[in-house]
Amino acid sequence: MKSIAVLGSTGSIGENALVIARMHPGQFKVRVLAARKNIKRLAEQAHEFRPDYVAIYDASLASQLRREVAPLGLQVLEGEKGICEAVQIPDLDLVISAMVGARGILPLFCAIRAGKNVAVANKEPLVMAGKLVMEEAAKQGAQVLPIDSEHSGLWQLLEGKEKGTIQKLILTSSGGPFFKWAGDFETITPEQALRHPKWKMGPKITIDSATLMNKGLEVIEASNLFGIPPERLEVLIHPEAIVHALIEFVDGSHLAHLSVTDMKLPIQYAMSYPGRLSNGCPRLDLAALEKFTFFAPDLEHFPCLRLGFEAAHADGTLPAVLNAANEVAAELFLKGKITFTDIPRVVEKVMSLHRLISSPTLSNILEADEWAREEALRFADLARVSL
Ligand code: MG
């Protein structure tokens, strides 16, 4: 029986992690549930899974949550500090880190510092502070297990391989809703961008998938997770979204990871690792597929991917700046305040204004994050005035 904490339990990854826990009774004990603000759903989950702790990020909702879960006799913790406290409890085997955006970073560090194994679904910590995360995990003997599907694929492919035998890591992208888009990119609406052809995900990551910023962030994430420099990472567009990752060996041989597009698979592997559990998930039917296609990415229409590679090369505080500026820009786009093509414009502008710190501390990174958010808002405002 593994004791788990689910941070971001009311989001799409968190809900799926709980589906896995429900699917395998006797395998997982949910001891901590944490969410940002959806106390109604959090309380329902608490009633079902009976954890020892529930934590709410938005501290102003704590008293309401306490009333909702009062009959359960569990502990309610609040704010970032409360979540940090919850992940440090003894005998916790795995912390699933799935809080959207940069707010997951401190709880993740708290878990690693306490020597807990972490399954990371939110890519921001691995993008912003990936090297620090990996260093700290190595120091504490904690495992960092990826949930992001491409990284889960790479992780499964790389297991047991000598690093010196690896030539290249290849991540695939379905291309999102605007692969081979014939229309004007400037006029793309949030509704269009939210219609992802292959994956059902939260709104922020769906926008990132439409701009290909998601893949840019994933390049940085992969480089940090596996200690492979960005020049040995490649992105391929693969609209069928069956092959999630490939590795190329120095002798020219390739291995590929294939599965249906269901986030439950990478989530379950991180939860069951090093074992595997059978499940009722849909199976891959290769014979029913007519073809597999692969394309080089179109960096002209999707400059976010180029910016991702640039930030990966520059490293230091630049990935945090890219991530923060993008978070602001994606949000403004979702609210209808800037256009689709303004997203990379805002990000590139903020990156160009940043004074890079090459070997940053966590506080340097958090400062760069804050700075980039302000700059992105300021620049987006200017862009709006000139529209
Ligand atoms: Mg992914």
Side-chain angles (χ1 to χ4, degrees):
M1 181 91 111
K2 253 187 208 178
S3 289
I4 63 170
V6 184
L7 311 186
S9 65
T10 60
S12 100
I13 298 285
E15 289 280 8
N16 273 314
L18 294 177
V19 169
I20 308 284
R22 201 180 284 127
M23 224 187 252
H24 304 283
Q27 296 279 349
F28 303 104
K29 165 75 186 128
V30 179
R31 294 193 57 210
V32 176
L33 288 170
R36 180 164 64 104
K37 61 171 194 225
N38 188 350
I39 47 170
K40 188 172 167 285
R41 183 66 195 132
L42 182 58
E44 283 168 9
Q45 292 173 339
H47 280 268
E48 180 183 353
F49 289 95
R50 303 295 177 109
D52 302 325
Y53 297 86
V54 290
I56 186 82
Y57 187 86
D58 182 343
S60 70
L61 299 167
S63 48
Q64 205 181 329
L65 179 64
R66 280 197 183 91
R67 278 196 299 278
E68 300 256 358
V69 298
L72 301 176
L74 47 72
Q75 279 221 53
V76 176
L77 299 168
E78 56 189 81
E80 195 167 61
K81 210 170 141 264
I83 299 177
C84 281
E85 211 177 300
V87 296
Q88 296 182 49
I89 58 169
D91 305 320
L92 191 61
D93 300 309
L94 182 68
V95 175
I96 299 173
S97 172
M99 298 176 69
V100 177
R103 75 179 75 86
I105 198 163
L106 285 174
L108 179 69
F109 269 100
C110 291
I112 294 173
R113 282 190 192 123
K116 307 297 183 194
N117 294 334
V118 289
V120 187
N122 53 337
K123 47 185 64 100
E124 287 78 5
L126 293 174
V127 168
M128 295 168 65
K131 292 205 170 61
L132 294 180
V133 167
M134 298 312 286
E135 276 168 25
E136 190 63 34
K139 204 156 76 182
Q140 306 295 346
Q143 292 171 328
V144 179
L145 316 176
I147 284 183
D148 206 345
S149 59
E150 299 78 1
H151 303 75
S152 174
L154 286 173
W155 171 40
Q156 295 176 56
L157 291 167
L158 287 168
E159 257 202 305
K161 310 294 184 300
E162 284 275 339
K163 209 167 165 183
T165 63
I166 307 299
Q167 180 74 37
K168 213 192 273 176
L169 305 186
I170 303 167
L171 300 117
T172 68
S173 158
S174 70
F178 308 120
F179 174 59
K180 293 190 172 171
W181 179 252
D184 185 355
F185 279 72
E186 191 79 40
T187 60
I188 287 170
T189 64
E191 293 70 35
Q192 288 170 320
L194 285 171
R195 250 177 262 138
H196 196 274
K198 290 288 173 190
W199 294 96
K200 209 179 155 301
M201 305 172 290
K204 155 72 168 59
I205 186 171
T206 307
I207 297 303
D208 287 349
S209 298
T211 60
L212 292 199
M213 181 57 95
N214 185 50
K215 216 47 59 178
L217 296 172
E218 287 183 353
V219 165
I220 303 169
E221 185 186 1
S223 173
N224 288 333
L225 256 173
F226 304 113
I228 299 279
E231 52 275 18
R232 282 166 57 201
L233 285 162
E234 193 180 315
V235 169
L236 280 177
I237 306 297
H238 169 50
E240 294 80 12
I242 296 296
V243 177
H244 305 299
L246 303 99
I247 58 176
E248 183 187 319
F249 292 98
V250 287
D251 62 2
S253 184
H254 285 69
L255 290 183
H257 173 266
L258 289 74
S259 78
V260 292
T261 51
D262 186 334
M263 278 311 293
K264 285 196 281 302
L265 270 77
I267 296 169
Q268 178 179 294
Y269 186 60
M271 288 169 73
S272 69
Y273 178 80
R276 287 189 188 262
L277 295 167
S278 64
N279 59 29
C281 291
R283 295 290 148 133
L284 188 56
D285 181 0
L286 283 174
L289 281 167
E290 278 175 27
K291 58 180 181 184
F292 271 181
T293 56
F294 296 93
F295 303 87
D298 169 2
L299 296 183
E300 192 192 319
H301 286 111
F302 299 94
C304 287
L305 179 56
R306 172 177 56 79
L307 296 173
F309 270 102
E310 282 177 24
H313 279 288
D315 201 27
T317 39
L318 204 57
V321 167
L322 165 100
N323 175 66
N326 176 62
E327 221 172 284
V328 170
E331 174 96 31
L332 290 171
F333 169 69
L334 274 171
K335 287 182 177 156
K337 297 205 166 145
I338 61 172
T339 67
F340 188 75
T341 44
D342 280 336
I343 299 174
R345 269 182 218 129
V346 169
V347 176
E348 185 155 26
K349 182 72 185 172
V350 176
M351 282 170 73
S352 74
L353 294 173
H354 180 60
R355 260 191 247 126
L356 182 83
I357 301 175
S358 298
S359 300
T361 61
L362 184 57
S363 57
N364 292 146
I365 289 167
L366 295 174
E367 276 159 27
D369 171 273
E370 209 170 301
W371 171 86
R373 279 167 208 277
E374 280 163 25
E375 283 300 302
L377 274 175
R378 199 170 62 84
F379 184 68
D381 245 343
L382 292 177
R384 206 147 68 221
V385 171
S386 67
L387 276 175

